[in-house]
Amino acid sequence: MSFEFDPSQFDAETLAIRAGFERSQNGEHSEPMYLTSSYIFDSAEDAASRFRGEAEGPVYARYTNPTVNLFESRLAALEGGEEAVATSSGMAAILSTCMAFLSAGDEVLCSADVFGSTTGLFSKYMAKFGVKTHYLPLGDMGAWEAAANEKTKLLFLETPSNPLCRIADIRAFANLAKGVGARLAVDNCFCTPALQQPLLHGADLVIHSATKYLDGQGRTLGGAVVGTHADMAEVRAFLRTCGPTMSPFNAWVFLKGLETLSLRMERHCANAQGLAEWLSQQDEVTSVNYAGLADHPGHALAAAQQSGFGGVLSFTVKGGRESAWACINGVRWLSLTANLGDAKTTIVHPATTTHGRLSDQERDAAGITENLIRISVGLESLKDIQDDLRRGLSCILAG
Ligand SMILES: *Cc1c(COP(=O)(O)O)cnc(C)c1O
């Protein structure tokens, strides 16, 4: 029985489990893992034409592997994109994007509150090759418009942002990018395609750290870029030459992760919403950043652009660094780790960890204060998470 699986006919929950899978003649039910670095050619002629890219068929696992390709086609289907290219990590996805689309003399407009290593890549490495990056506040569209010019080749942002959960209007940024002939890249790590599809709002490229929610259980590193066939040919050409490639084992783990993505995201959202509301009522807490709260400045936009508010929130406590550290040291089983998007709830102090390499000035500009705590809300019972946090918060008043 053969059946042509047309992704446009199916909902995301089905795509996450079925899209892209063509069984071998063995009829295996579950997706197989192909641990092979290279492939046999049918003839010298076949080898020559595959190398020239004229004939279909794999050449070398630096840029083609059936298990990795299956993950790529499934992710592309979920994002509503033509094609995805998988990479060895989220940072490798951002690096590959830069190498594919930027040259000396180009300029990048980047949101001031993106992932710390993303800033490091632009400031420390792309700058060495003559690419200048302007960091701009996500909420100040006027500043982006003023900074955009004919040298601008890439706009880069995360929404919701980390750790402050600010929301960017993807459509507005896409229009700005189009106006100056630049590409808009959206790092969709926090929402995943289960909650937000940036390409459908006009973005040109979607970036993923698969390490987070796509895996969902904190096991492996990986990343991806999603976009048009033409753009992905550029990204894949960089992988073909330089090799920041996803391993087939990791791709297989991500395929298993994708199968439960929408279910997990539903629960992450529900737990985060419950925790945000509960935190808002605690005496030791001075503010809560979560777009699911009605008084969050990005609430209406997030409700329109996303199908859920996500699993990450942050909050400030009374006092400064000592208070935040007392709370973090006071919890008993929440994981003190910088990872996020895990079944396990994690807690971290951004100012001295994830954003610790920023200067005080950069950190102030990004709004990351010493009394800020970030939580990636996991899949445990909400009541148990609250109980442990209550223990942590009680240490603030004691101290
Ligand atoms: C973790 C993360 C990255 C980097 O991904 P790695 O897989 O750790 O390289 C990029 N962007 C965001 C938003 C992240 O959270």
Side-chain angles (χ1 to χ4, degrees), residues 89-91 94 115 158 187 189-190 209 211-212 221-222 340:
S89 68
M91 285 318 301
I94 303 174
F115 188 65
E158 292 168 19
D187 184 332
C189 174
F190 272 43
S209 169
T211 314
K212 314 294 166 51
L221 252 75
L340 60 90

Side-chain angles (χ1 to χ4, degrees), residues 270-329:
N271 272 358
Q273 184 73 37
L275 193 65
E277 288 169 8
W278 178 82
L279 280 167
S280 307
Q281 291 158 7
Q282 305 308 305
D283 288 342
E284 301 87 346
V285 173
T286 47
S287 66
V288 180
N289 304 305
Y290 185 66
L293 296 175
D295 61 356
H296 184 283
H299 177 69
L301 178 57
Q305 190 167 268
Q306 305 170 202
S307 57
F309 298 106
V312 179
L313 58 81
S314 60
F315 62 100
T316 55
V317 292
K318 282 181 183 160
R321 179 191 294 192
E322 304 70 35
S323 298
W325 282 15
C327 175
I328 289 168
N329 288 330

Side-chain angles (χ1 to χ4, degrees), residues 115 158 161-163 189-192 209-219 264-265 268 311-313 335 337-348 354-355 374-378:
F115 188 65
E158 292 168 19
S161 72
N162 174 21
C189 174
F190 272 43
C191 273
T192 83
S209 169
T211 314
K212 314 294 166 51
Y213 288 106
L214 301 191
D215 176 336
Q217 297 177 57
R219 297 164 292 194
R264 286 186 286 110
M265 292 314 290
H268 280 298
V312 179
L313 58 81
S335 309
T337 167
N339 192 32
L340 60 90
D342 197 295
K344 299 181 175 79
T345 298
T346 67
I347 184 166
V348 78
T354 53
H355 294 69
R374 187 193 76 191
I375 298 206
S376 167
V377 187

